[in-house]
Amino acid sequence: MSLSDIKAKIEADARAEAEEILKGARLQVEEIGRGIEMEVRRMDDLQKSRLEKESSEILRRREIVAKLDVNRDDLMARRALIDEAFEAAKAGMAGMETDKTRLFAEGLLVKAVETGDETLILGRAEKALDANWLNGYNEKHGTRLKMAEERAPIIGGFILRRGLVDVNCSWEMLIRTAREELEAETVKKLFSN
């Protein structure tokens, strides 16, 4: 065998071996491709199955969130109505006629006075309660209450000072106290069907 024959045989053997390797690689690629296709189908089926199983849960959760949103909005609206009701009550107290204001304040003083020597602090804009009214109260009840020169930032009513102790009988405090006591009942009346 000559050198060119040996060379031709080596080339032929190499081509045949390369062809075998390529053929095996092609088979492997096809096998891997089929495996990938099967895995893709399996994952797709799994996702579809999972979606079918979880879709009802997703819808249930969305419904819960929607109900929570509606309840929150309803509660906020109810809160606003309750706030409005108590603000209207405060405005009503601030707008009482002079005689009614004095009568109401007298009833509060009767309950709040302990020693009879306390000092009365009025609101900055208070017009119904004055020195003449206080003098009349003192005569009627045998007290020596004094009117303070200072004024408080309240819309109506008074603050009764006894040393370092203040008894807040302002309209704001009375409404706040009443609100705490009456809010549940108010809610029940406003929103019962």
Side-chain angles (χ1 to χ4, degrees), residues 126-193:
E126 183 60 62
K127 292 186 182 14
L129 307 179
D130 56 16
N132 289 333
W133 168 77
L134 187 59
N135 290 336
Y137 178 87
N138 282 334
E139 286 177 25
K140 184 176 178 181
H141 296 281
T143 57
R144 294 173 307 282
L145 300 175
K146 297 178 282 300
M147 188 78 69
E149 287 187 33
E150 69 178 295
R151 294 287 184 133
I154 57 178
I155 62 166
F158 58 87
I159 297 172
L160 189 66
R161 182 166 285 161
R162 182 176 42 257
L164 298 174
V165 177
D166 286 349
V167 178
N168 190 340
C169 293
S170 66
W171 299 165
E172 294 96 324
M173 183 56 71
L174 294 173
I175 291 293
R176 187 177 312 136
T177 302
R179 181 178 183 151
E180 290 169 4
E181 294 173 6
L182 300 173
E183 193 161 1
E185 187 65 28
T186 303
V187 167
K188 194 175 183 181
K189 285 181 180 178
L190 282 175
F191 304 111
S192 63
N193 293 333

Side-chain angles (χ1 to χ4, degrees), residues 101-137:
T101 300
R102 288 178 173 180
L103 189 61
F104 188 65
E106 184 176 334
L108 291 172
L109 270 176
V110 167
K111 292 178 182 176
V113 169
E114 285 191 15
T115 65
D117 292 321
E118 293 91 344
T119 302
L120 203 67
I121 304 169
L122 300 175
R124 291 184 182 134
E126 183 60 62
K127 292 186 182 14
L129 307 179
D130 56 16
N132 289 333
W133 168 77
L134 187 59
N135 290 336
Y137 178 87

